[in-house]
Amino acid sequence: MPTRKIALEVRDLYYEYPDGTVGVNGVSLRVFEGERVALLGPNGAGKSTLLLLMDGLLTPQRGYVEVYGERMNRRNASRLRRNMAIVLQDSDDQLFCPTVEEDIAFGPTQLGLSAEEVSNRVEWVSQLLDVKGLLGRPPFRLSVGEKRKIALATAIAMKPDILLVDEPTANLDPASADTLIETLNTLNREYGTTLVVATQDVDVVPHLSDRVYI
């Protein structure tokens, strides 16, 4: 049986916010390529902080994060982040352009892709998530469920190897939650995307994970 490649490794992470609040304290975990891993815990457990540390948006004060065997630091974090994308818990923190189309195009544009490739990615992801009818609309006029789909679209458009998702079904009605879960599983199944999902919803875990860290 072939050895599975480690996509993400976290070792003894510690992070304390400026106000003295401890976000994570001694967390270690391992995520294999193509795996679906859930981070399960109540509000305030540090799940969001852990995802931000994994993505290099926060720098640990102790411990380290490795992406495909390379230890992340201030010098290489932006390069290693090209392997990953994150969907934040609050979609309003992720959507800031005048239109949905511009929001989806923003990430691929920052990767330095050609205008043609950016357009192709917007077309691809809008079909995948069935949001073509929303492309011309301003994000602030979307429903909560629509915002969640577009926030996910902005991440998927980067075509990441690793997708970090914070509370994917929060504030969604059952139908919207089911659609989002199926989309994430499609990415994992058809594109091999490694999923790390932070949630406090135990009902979601069996549908979105192969392993669980509590």
Side-chain angles (χ1 to χ4, degrees):
M1 183 175 178
T3 303
R4 293 187 296 174
K5 181 186 283 188
I6 300 171
L8 266 175
E9 180 149 19
V10 169
R11 185 62 57 189
D12 194 31
L13 276 195
Y14 179 89
Y15 184 83
E16 182 178 311
Y17 286 96
D19 66 358
T21 301
V22 176
V24 295
N25 185 5
V27 174
S28 297
L29 59 84
R30 182 176 286 176
V31 180
F32 293 96
E33 189 174 46
E35 206 176 22
R36 301 176 305 158
V37 169
L39 309 176
L40 180 63
N43 275 335
K47 303 185 301 298
S48 298
T49 301
L50 181 55
L51 290 185
L52 294 172
L53 288 163
M54 286 177 170
D55 196 50
L57 297 174
L58 293 178
T59 302
Q61 286 132 0
R62 189 178 73 226
Y64 61 84
V65 175
E66 286 187 352
V67 182
Y68 291 110
E70 184 173 352
R71 188 168 300 189
M72 186 181 288
N73 55 50
R74 294 181 187 276
R75 294 184 301 278
N76 65 13
S78 60
R79 174 171 57 81
L80 292 180
R81 275 204 300 269
R82 295 172 72 94
N83 295 300
M84 295 185 285
I86 189 169
V87 182
L88 302 174
Q89 182 175 353
D90 187 347
S91 301
D92 288 329
D93 291 338
Q94 197 147 354
L95 306 177
F96 49 81
C97 292
T99 67
V100 166
E101 183 172 10
E102 290 171 277
D103 262 319
I104 296 174
F106 182 83
T109 300
Q110 298 308 302
L111 292 176
L113 303 178
S114 67
E116 181 181 8
E117 176 60 20
V118 171
S119 178
N120 288 341
R121 291 202 182 189
V122 171
E123 175 71 16
W124 167 69
V125 78
S126 63
Q127 287 189 352
L128 179 68
L129 294 180
D130 192 24
V131 295
K132 291 195 70 172
L134 303 178
L135 292 180
R137 292 174 60 181
F140 71 88
R141 291 196 176 275
L142 303 178
S143 69
V144 172
E146 288 170 338
K147 285 181 181 180
R148 292 299 286 171
K149 288 181 79 171
I150 300 306
L152 180 59
T154 65
I156 295 173
M158 307 279 284
K159 292 192 174 179
D161 298 320
I162 304 165
L163 183 60
L164 312 174
V165 189
D166 197 358
E167 299 287 359
T169 59
N171 302 316
L172 294 185
D173 61 82
S176 297
D178 287 345
T179 298
L180 199 63
I181 289 169
E182 179 53 36
T183 300
L184 291 172
N185 283 328
T186 297
L187 289 171
N188 173 259
R189 184 173 58 249
E190 297 186 10
Y191 298 96
T193 307
T194 303
L195 296 178
V196 181
V197 178
T199 184
Q200 59 178 320
D201 185 353
V202 294
D203 294 329
V204 167
V205 171
H207 304 289
L208 268 180
S209 64
D210 305 306
R211 288 192 301 122
V212 182
Y213 284 96
I214 299 176

